[in-house]
């Protein structure tokens, strides 16, 4: 293969191109170790197919010293919003009734605000400390479509310090708060979100465009002229490049809020409700501590722009279990700020357990990044199923972010019908969705071969263990793509069954271990290694007809160790590039 073809094929390896569907998580046995310890080799699952029934169960099998999350507790005092004149007709705006009920309970030292069965239209709800907002079965809280109900506030979005419209539900600097019950909170996001023509049928597009305005090309709908004005070329994704509050006020309709915004809160419980149809992200805890999110149903239309499920950002000590996600962007996503704003914040997301969650649609099932500039560390993810998510396990960043992602343990994950990579590390993330749309190009996310200096802006991903991974259908099994100047470091995949159109690729990676991995690739080699070092492969199995099975390329590749017993004929099954050093590959 000549260098031009080599680079072309390598680019294909290195480009993230992934899709949309679901995920589910479960449980794992006791094995506590410090964060610096190696991954355990023992395997076990709950085996009963049931959800986690006690909080003690959540802590079992965690590989690092996880502090016990401090739980909420509330006095017995209860009031109903109907005591303050709330009307359940879906027409009467009940903003004042919610506010008065919350103020009443707060003045009594805390307790529960009850939302009975019915349709409750309201403007923003602002929580206070020691409040449990309880939505009973059959209760649906519908947030107003009137943009005037949502003033511009100073906040953080997409990891940047900025202004946005006030969230439908919000709380700042609070302690001991909860949203519980089996009711529903609907953010009326369709009133806010721009919509691409390519995501609509002809009939849907015709109906949608009876209101709102279109961009100059006629392929994007906006709810108002004000919203269209905010979508400028200088925007950083969804954050306009503006300076003053007045400038943001001028494009207010574009500043879609997250449905639930909790900032700098302690002892938080979300247990039971459905959160759906958010203007932007659905759930956004930011710089919070001691958080429990369980038994939630988090939903957004598949076409929703930035319709993330959960974005846990710069949070400490959190439990995420027994939840279902069906969303329009990343489902369970960990972040910690973006670029300079994130690095100056300096608050990582750390000490988090994710178990027994299901994702039915999303760009990624479990995701870290791309805004991870303060770091992410000490994370346990187990017993999850991703069904049709664009990508299953997704790690993304890019030059300029900085930050360290480390000590991530992932186990007992099942995936099916993944349109792109089942497991993806992309440190050249350009912001596109995994499945490219009509207005996107793969070249926008192409890696840059040139080395750049390592600085505080260089992201680093290291010490990540994955075991007991089952993939039944994906376009690509695994894509491990680091940076030339900062390789992806110390990733272990053990006990995996990977059925995909393409196999495993490792580009600019160091310390990669594959142990007892079965790769059933329809096309190409089971494993491709490029410019990577310290790669150890044992117990690799594959289709008997595959030749070559392993392809090793790149002048920077060093110390690749393959097990002789894994091959019938090493001469034909192991392909070595002409640019390899003589001792780059050893078969033992």
């Amino acid at each position: 293969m000549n260098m031009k073809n080599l680079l072309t094929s390598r680019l294909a390896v290195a480009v993230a191109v992934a899709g949309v569907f679901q995920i589910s998580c479960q449980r794992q046995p006791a094995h506590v170790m410090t964060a610096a310890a190696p991954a355990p080799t023992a395997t076990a699952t709950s085996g009963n197919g049931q959800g986690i029934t006690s909080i003690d169960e959540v802590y079992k099998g965690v590989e690092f010293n996880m502090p016990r999350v401090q739980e909420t507790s509330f006095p017995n005092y209860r009031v109903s919003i109907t005591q303050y004149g709330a009307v359940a007709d879906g027409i009467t705006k009940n903003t004042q009734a919610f506010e008065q009920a919350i103020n009443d309970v707060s003045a009594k030292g805390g307790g529960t605000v009850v939302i009975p069965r019915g349709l409750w239209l309201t403007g923003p709800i602002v929580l206070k400390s020691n409040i449990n907002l309880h939505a009973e079965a059959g209760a649906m809280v519908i947030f107003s479509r009137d943009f005037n109900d949502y003033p511009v506030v100073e906040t953080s979005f997409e990891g940047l310090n900025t202004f946005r419209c006030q969230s439908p539900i919000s709380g700042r600097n609070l302690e001991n708060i909860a949203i519980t019950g089996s009711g529903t909170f609907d953010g009326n996001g369709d009133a806010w979100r721009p919509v691409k023509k390519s995501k609509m049928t002809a009939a849907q597009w015709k109906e949608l465009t009876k209101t709102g305005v279109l961009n100059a090309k006629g392929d994007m709908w906006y709810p108002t002229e004000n919203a269209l004005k905010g979508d400028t070329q200088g925007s950083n994704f969804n954050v306009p490049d503006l300076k003053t509050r007045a400038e943001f006020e001028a494009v207010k309709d574009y500043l879609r809020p997250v449905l639930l915004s909790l900032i700098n809160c302690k002892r938080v419980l979300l247990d039971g409700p459905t959160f759906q149809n958010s203007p932007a992200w659905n759930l956004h805890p930011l710089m919070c501590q001691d958080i429990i999110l369980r038994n939630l149903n988090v939903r957004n239309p598949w076409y929703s722009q930035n319709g993330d499920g959960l974005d846990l950002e710069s949070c400490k000590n959190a439990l995420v279990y027994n939840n279902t996600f069906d969303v329009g962007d990343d489902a369970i996503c960990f972040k910690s700020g973006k670029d300079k704003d994130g690095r100056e914040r300096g608050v990582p997301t750390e000490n988090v357990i994710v178990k027994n969650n299901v994702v039915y649609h999303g760009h990624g099932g479990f995701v870290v990044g791309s805004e991870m500039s303060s770091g992410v560390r000490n994370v346990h993810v187990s017993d999850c199923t991703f069904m049709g998510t664009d990508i299953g396990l997704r790690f993304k960043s890019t030059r300029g972010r900085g930050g360290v992602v480390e000590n991530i343990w992932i186990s007992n994950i099942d995936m099916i019908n993944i349109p792109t990579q089942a497991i993806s590390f992309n440190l050249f993330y350009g912001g596109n969705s995994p499945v490219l749309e009509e207005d996107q190009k793969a070249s926008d996310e192409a890696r840059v071969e040139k080395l750049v200096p390592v600085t505080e802006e260089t992201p680093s991903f290291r010490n990540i263990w994955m075991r007991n991974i089952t993939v039944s259908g994906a376009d690509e099994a695994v894509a491990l793509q680091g940076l030339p100047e900062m390789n992806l470091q110390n990733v272990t995949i053990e006990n995996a069954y990977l059925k995909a159109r393409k196999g495993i690729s490792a580009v600019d990676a160091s310390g990669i271990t594959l142990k007892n991995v079965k790769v059933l690739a329809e096309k190409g080699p089971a494993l491709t290694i490029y410019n990577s070092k310290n790669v150890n492969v044992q117990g690799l199995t594959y289709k008997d007809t595959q030749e070559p099975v392993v392809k090793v390329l790149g002048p920077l590749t060093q110390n690749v160790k393959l097990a002789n017993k894994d091959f019938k004929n090493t001469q034909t099954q192991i392909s070595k590039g002409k640019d390899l050093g003589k001792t780059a590959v050893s078969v033992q």
Side-chain angles (χ1 to χ4, degrees), residues 292-545:
I292 300 175
L293 298 92
R294 64 189 179 208
N295 308 316
L296 305 177
N297 186 19
V298 183
R299 305 172 63 239
N300 266 339
W302 75 270
Y303 57 82
S304 56
Q305 299 285 104
N306 319 108
D308 295 25
L310 165 66
D311 290 279
L312 194 72
E313 182 171 359
S314 294
C315 291
K316 181 177 183 179
N317 304 338
L319 309 178
V320 181
Y321 65 98
N322 288 358
N323 304 296
T324 298
F325 294 86
D326 187 351
V327 295
D329 207 308
D330 290 329
I332 304 171
C333 190
F334 290 1
K335 301 177 182 290
S336 62
K338 185 174 182 178
D339 299 344
K340 184 173 181 289
D341 286 356
R343 293 193 299 273
E344 289 182 348
R345 179 195 300 166
V347 180
T349 288
E350 60 183 335
N351 302 335
V352 187
I353 301 173
V354 178
K355 289 188 175 184
N356 203 51
N357 300 285
V358 178
V359 182
Y360 294 100
H361 193 281
H363 287 176
F366 171 74
V367 182
V368 175
S370 67
E371 306 96 306
M372 38 61 67
S373 298
S374 291
V376 176
R377 63 193 181 212
N378 297 346
V379 175
H380 170 103
V381 180
S382 67
D383 302 309
C384 298
T385 303
F386 308 148
M387 296 172 282
T389 53
D390 290 358
I391 297 175
L393 300 168
R394 188 181 192 193
F395 297 80
K396 52 183 176 173
S397 188
T398 192
R399 288 165 171 155
R401 290 284 189 271
V404 177
V405 172
E406 62 184 349
N407 301 335
I408 314 293
W409 284 268
I410 301 172
S411 62
N412 305 331
I413 307 296
D414 297 322
M415 311 183 211
I416 189 168
N417 298 335
I418 306 299
T420 60
Q421 297 103 345
I423 300 172
S424 174
F425 288 79
N426 181 3
L427 299 193
F428 287 89
Y429 176 67
N432 286 337
S433 62
V435 174
L436 298 183
E437 299 167 9
E438 289 183 357
D439 60 342
Q440 297 174 331
K441 298 179 181 178
S443 58
D444 293 340
E445 292 194 15
R447 56 182 279 110
V448 179
E449 184 76 15
K450 182 180 178 182
L451 281 167
V452 301
V454 174
T455 68
E456 66 172 5
E457 298 183 357
T458 307
S460 175
F461 284 64
R462 65 196 185 200
N463 304 337
I464 298 165
W465 291 272
M466 291 175 265
R467 72 176 186 274
N468 304 339
I469 310 294
T470 300
V471 176
S472 181
D475 182 68
E476 187 173 359
V478 180
L480 306 174
Q481 178 185 289
L483 294 168
E485 68 273 13
M486 179 62 74
N487 284 186
L488 173 64
Q489 301 175 63
N490 302 336
V491 175
T492 296
I493 302 176
E494 181 177 356
N495 300 338
Y497 176 94
L498 310 172
K499 182 180 183 295
R501 192 173 70 87
K502 294 178 286 186
I504 300 172
S505 62
V507 180
D508 293 330
S510 176
I512 304 302
T513 299
L514 304 179
K515 185 176 181 180
N516 299 330
V517 175
K518 184 169 188 176
V519 183
L520 298 180
E522 298 175 9
K523 178 182 179 181
L527 173 62
T528 301
I529 299 168
Y530 180 86
N531 276 359
S532 296
K533 53 185 178 288
N534 303 324
V535 179
N536 191 348
V537 182
Q538 299 179 46
L540 179 69
T541 55
Y542 42 85
K543 288 184 177 180
D544 289 338
T545 56

Side-chain angles (χ1 to χ4, degrees), residues 124-126 143 150-151 153 164-170 257-261:
I125 296 172
V126 180
F143 289 96
Y150 305 89
V153 297
R164 305 294 292 182
C165 288
Q166 181 175 335
S167 288
I169 312 172
S170 64
V258 300
L259 173 56
L260 171 65
S261 172

Side-chain angles (χ1 to χ4, degrees), residues 193-231:
R193 292 187 301 264
V195 179
K196 293 182 179 180
K197 184 178 182 180
S198 61
K199 294 189 174 184
M200 299 275 103
T201 65
Q204 288 171 331
W205 184 251
K206 181 179 180 180
E207 183 65 25
L208 179 68
T209 53
K210 289 179 179 179
T211 61
V213 298
L214 299 179
N215 63 357
K217 293 172 63 177
D219 60 357
M220 178 79 85
W221 175 91
Y222 295 83
T224 66
E225 190 72 42
N226 183 290
L228 171 61
K229 182 181 176 183
D231 195 2

